[in-house]
Amino acid sequence: MSDTQVNLAVNLAGIALPNPILTASGCFASGKEAQRFIDIDTIGAIVVKSITRKPRNGLPTPRMHETPSGMLNAIGLQNPGVDAWIEHDLPFLREHGARVIASIAGDSAEDFRYVAGKLLAAGADTIVGLEVNLSCPNVENRGLVFACHTDSSYAVVRAVRHEVSVPVLAKLTSDVTSIVDIAHAVVDAGAHGVTLINTLLGMAIDPETGRPELYNTYGGLSGPAIRPVALRNVHQVHQALPDLPILGCGGIQTVTDVVQFLRAGATAVSVGTQQFVDPFVTARLTRDLDAWLVSHGHSHATELIGTVTPWR
Ligand SMILES: Cc1cc2nc3c(=O)[nH]c(=O)nc-3n(C[C@H](O)[C@H](O)[C@H](O)COP(=O)(O)O)c2cc1C
């Protein structure tokens, strides 16, 4: 609270954070590039790029494409693999006093369990929680995305919960019929909270060549274009499971966006695409949230959580 006027601290699913502004997975790597712009220990927590069992080169280019109020990406979970991450990225984050929420991904529930166990065995002093990225294809079940099915979401979270004792957030997609059903499944499996939402599946086509703008044809839509969808998901899940901690994510750019997510029911937020536009965004949002709360007569950020007032 040293240079803030109100108490910004929140407890996200058992993770004590100095403020509710986090970085979103895949948009901040492991913080090395950002350290030139911002002291990474001032960020609520860093959700690092998803880590897999083996290194992945990702998909061929083109892998990113700008769209109205957003962008499409099909990076394909490029990452160095858990062993190299532990060797090269963890020491940097530890040395700089970062609070790390490690995002994990895999092809099977066993992959998730393996990566979770390795990470916590090496980094329990720095890794304050895990985010389980369920938006990956399940190779053991026809490549169907884990997050689209209650049983596969349950199996992954259950495996991770058996392996580690840190708080586990399940990151869900909105590309489902009922996100509330998936939220119930991961809670039954032992998730301490959920991150809402991952990117929305989209597509763009070059009208001249007829080729998709992404090598992968489809990609994840992010940025302000998805913010209303993300807010709707946070609100729906909060209404159905009011005690479930939510990390809100999707199109956050300004403090008014942060306030909307907290009011909808998020305990904290993570900022993705805006990192590419403004590397100072987390510091700015923390400052602006402080000022907003003061100007609206609040003394604690938590006072906003779930305070949306329905018309009827
Ligand atoms: C380039 C890029 C890479 C991403 N990589 C990951 C990833 O590895 N794991 C994950 O869970 N989400 C990943 N995401 C999704 C973001 O964490 C976030 O959920 C999504 O972009 C919505 O937030 P935003 O609109 O603030 O970007 C990625 C997003 C982008 C734009």
Side-chain angles (χ1 to χ4, degrees):
M1 272 186 67
S2 52
D3 51 1
T4 60
Q5 301 180 54
V6 297
N7 190 347
L8 293 178
V10 296
N11 186 305
L12 174 67
I15 309 170
L17 304 173
N19 66 69
I21 314 292
L22 286 65
T23 64
S25 180
C27 304
F28 202 73
S30 286
K32 282 184 189 152
E33 297 83 355
Q35 180 67 24
R36 285 184 290 143
F37 305 106
I38 183 169
D39 291 331
I40 61 173
D41 61 346
T42 62
I43 300 170
I46 297 174
V47 185
V48 297
K49 173 79 186 164
S50 295
I51 305 161
T52 55
R53 189 171 188 149
K54 295 266 183 280
R56 291 197 190 181
N57 292 327
L59 289 158
T61 56
R63 315 200 285 187
M64 285 170 129
H65 177 73
E66 200 168 330
T67 59
S69 299
M71 59 176 271
L72 288 165
N73 89 83
I75 305 291
L77 290 179
Q78 178 180 359
N79 81 100
V82 65
D83 292 330
W85 192 90
I86 288 170
E87 191 183 339
H88 300 297
D89 292 307
L90 179 61
F92 171 84
L93 291 160
R94 177 183 285 135
E95 195 184 309
H96 288 84
R99 283 161 295 282
V100 174
I101 297 180
S103 169
I104 59 174
D107 293 335
S108 63
E110 167 55 20
D111 271 2
F112 281 87
R113 186 204 62 74
Y114 177 87
V115 175
K118 275 223 142 177
L119 287 172
L120 267 301
D125 55 341
T126 302
I127 298 171
V128 294
L130 289 181
E131 184 175 85
V132 179
N133 175 6
L134 292 166
S135 294
C136 338
N138 177 359
V139 294
E140 290 168 349
N141 188 13
R142 294 172 288 140
L144 298 176
V145 173
F146 290 101
C148 293
H149 303 272
T150 50
D151 51 355
S152 52
S153 298
Y154 178 94
V156 170
V157 172
R158 192 89 192 132
V160 172
R161 278 288 277 116
H162 272 155
E163 187 68 20
V164 296
S165 51
V166 290
V168 171
L169 304 173
K171 187 169 182 182
L172 308 186
T173 175
S174 181
D175 286 337
V176 290
T177 308
S178 168
I179 195 151
V180 170
D181 288 352
I182 311 284
H184 274 292
V186 296
V187 168
D188 290 347
H192 299 88
V194 287
T195 302
L196 306 174
I197 55 173
N198 214 317
T199 52
L200 302 178
L201 202 58
M203 180 180 187
I205 301 170
D206 182 327
E208 299 305 322
T209 64
R211 282 197 196 281
E213 297 282 9
L214 296 173
Y215 176 87
N216 191 50
T217 305
Y218 305 130
L221 182 65
S222 64
I226 73 167
R227 190 190 311 131
V229 179
L231 262 183
R232 185 265 296 172
N233 281 280
V234 169
H235 186 251
Q236 281 184 326
V237 171
H238 183 66
Q239 294 298 301
L241 294 157
D243 297 329
L244 180 66
I246 299 174
L247 176 58
C249 179
I252 292 169
Q253 294 180 304
T254 68
V255 69
T256 54
D257 306 335
V258 175
V259 169
Q260 290 189 71
F261 273 87
L262 297 182
R263 282 200 185 278
T267 298
V269 297
S270 57
V271 183
T273 301
Q274 189 62 20
Q275 297 284 349
F276 303 128
V277 181
D278 173 12
F280 302 99
V281 60
T282 47
R284 172 171 58 78
L285 290 180
T286 306
R287 255 191 338 265
D288 290 356
L289 180 61
D290 184 71
W292 194 96
L293 290 165
V294 170
S295 68
H296 290 74
H298 291 286
S299 56
H300 202 298
T302 54
E303 290 165 13
L304 283 182
I305 299 170
T307 55
V308 65
T309 314
W311 287 95
R312 57 183 163 79

